[in-house]
Amino acid sequence: MKITMIGSGYVGLVTGSCFAEVGNDVLCLDIDARKIDVLQKGGVPIHEPGLAEIIRRNVAARRLRFTTDIDAAVAHGTLQFIAVGTPADEDGSADMKHVIAAARNIGGRMADFKVIVDKSTVPVGTADLVRETIASSLAARRADIPFAVASNPEFLKEGAAVDDFMRPDRVVIGADDERAIALLRSVYAPFQRNHERVLVMDLRSAELTKYAANAMLATRISFMNELANLADALGADIEHVRQGIGSDPRIGYHFLYPGVGYGGSCFPKDVKALQATARDHQLPLRIMAAVEAVNEAQKARLLDKLTQRLGDDLRGMSFAIWGLAFKPNTDDMREAPSQVTVRALLDRGAKVVAYDPVAMDEARRVLGTLPGLAYAASPIDAVDGADALIVVTEWKEFRSPDFADIKRRLRRPLLFDGRNLFEPSLVRSAGLEYFGIGRS
Ligand SMILES: NC(=O)c1ccc[n+]([C@@H]2O[C@H](COP(=O)([O-])OP(=O)(O)OC[C@H]3O[C@@H](n4cnc5c(N)ncnc54)[C@H](O)[C@@H]3O)[C@@H](O)[C@H]2O)c1
């Protein structure tokens, strides 16, 4: 199958590469010439486990190519996947300008039947908008060419994106056109040899399903964060509570980890966008408003604990930060809670020495050169002479450190664990003071 992937970011690049991996002929388009240049030269602009190898293999087999040429991209694929960014607009609604631009590009150039597939996370009704945009571009050039629009939201997780795409829990297809459904079923057939995972539904339900999934996951996180704060006040240990409720199959263990709040490129903007959609229909989502408010407050939680212990004036102090990416196994820094922590420490006059296994280049790009912020070559280097160690991202390599060595190197024996990574008694037995989330 000839496939065009419009947008070669986290979703477009992973999806396009995995479609090529099962034998399709894939052309990935991006308007970011720098990104395409890196890809054409054999590089990979993002960190995603397993992705570089798939790209290398499929470029060599000539099943995967990259371009900035919109004409070539529109001419190539019968399936045109739109996987561009849909960031939050000022009012919280999803900014649709990239999706509309992609649709205009297709409508202005297509010469034969196309199925346009919205893979970006887009508000309910976007398929209609894309259809109207293409129809009016075709009308403007007096072209009468058949096309169909489908919704195929993506559920991959950064950090495990290749695996998620190759072995999906479900593939949601929203469509009302039989040709589109047949084409999408066949392009996804290689990813579900074990059992059927395709759920075909109407377009609006497919669009809403994606937001509902992220809203539910964000809700679980904020729920646990709020309970963790209560556990702190009550002298209970949220880790016991987590296990006590997670063992109930109606609840389950996933996404019940308290911490410094959710971040990343999806949950914050999707929780906002869903509320904006609901507001447009005079149906405010009270639970989502609370989820968002709890999350905002949670990002300051670790710092509150730190200033309670050390005072508000942190001038002359230095802090080691472990983890900058918004979660492990990615270099994505979008809405990362580490950004809030780093900036707040610097604002209070402290110095920060940060370490992350893969996100330091991205951190330099996103944070810029902030006075007082330095990067360390290893986790233990970051700790040297610091007034406290602050863990912000739960990378595997942080899980079992030498606490005695950390104690020796710290100026004050303080450990703030924003991800409840460590067993408090173990840390305390090494002579460190331990502060977790809900583990008083
Ligand atoms: N990142 C995730 O984990 C994830 C998971 C599921 C769904 N999504 C959704 O997928 C969409 C894309 O997310 P992402 O993280 O891949 O974003 P991204 O910012 O990494 O990539 C988007 C790419 O689209 C390009 N682009 C913008 N306009 C274009 C145009 N007109 N033509 C061609 N390219 C264009 C940008 O230059 C950029 O490289 C968003 O709607 C997001 O919510 C993301």
Side-chain angles (χ1 to χ4, degrees), residues 10-33:
Y10 283 87
V11 168
L13 193 54
V14 170
T15 314
S17 306
C18 291
F19 278 141
E21 176 77 352
V22 296
N24 296 294
D25 178 2
V26 180
L27 182 59
C28 292
L29 171 74
D30 208 290
I31 50 171
D32 182 342

Side-chain angles (χ1 to χ4, degrees), residues 9-11 30-31 35 84 86 120-121 154 158 266 269 334:
Y10 283 87
V11 168
D30 208 290
I31 50 171
K35 207 173 261 187
V84 300
T86 48
S120 298
T121 303
E154 183 50 56
E158 282 179 27
C266 291
K269 79 170 173 59
R334 288 178 281 187

Side-chain angles (χ1 to χ4, degrees), residues 61-189:
R62 296 176 191 278
R63 286 191 298 263
L64 180 62
R65 289 172 297 130
F66 308 101
T67 188
T68 53
D69 181 346
I70 298 171
D71 291 341
V74 174
H76 180 77
T78 305
L79 288 174
Q80 300 266 323
F81 282 88
I82 300 182
V84 300
T86 48
D89 221 333
E90 272 156 25
D91 63 355
S93 63
D95 182 345
M96 299 303 293
K97 67 170 180 282
H98 299 302
V99 173
I100 299 299
R104 272 206 200 102
N105 285 340
I106 298 168
R109 291 169 174 82
M110 60 186 268
D112 53 6
F113 175 70
K114 304 281 180 201
V115 177
I116 296 89
V117 189
D118 294 337
K119 189 163 259 318
S120 298
T121 303
V122 288
V124 174
T126 296
D128 296 334
L129 190 64
V130 166
R131 189 180 286 130
E132 284 156 22
T133 306
I134 294 175
S136 70
S137 299
L138 286 172
R141 60 186 177 104
R142 296 176 195 286
D144 182 17
I145 303 164
F147 69 96
V149 177
S151 164
N152 171 222
E154 183 50 56
F155 297 97
L156 61 76
K157 301 183 287 294
E158 282 179 27
V162 170
D163 225 41
D164 284 348
F165 194 80
M166 296 305 276
R167 275 178 281 277
D169 298 320
R170 76 304 211 183
V171 174
V172 169
I173 295 173
D176 50 16
D177 179 289
E178 288 308 321
R179 287 165 302 178
I181 294 170
L183 277 169
L184 284 165
R185 272 194 192 281
S186 86
V187 85
Y188 276 109

Side-chain angles (χ1 to χ4, degrees), residues 225-254:
N225 281 336
E226 213 165 38
L227 277 196
N229 300 342
L230 182 62
D232 265 342
L234 299 176
D237 184 342
I238 196 67
E239 182 54 21
H240 291 312
V241 178
R242 183 184 71 78
Q243 298 198 22
I245 62 172
S247 49
D248 183 335
R250 293 170 302 176
I251 297 173
Y253 291 105
H254 292 298

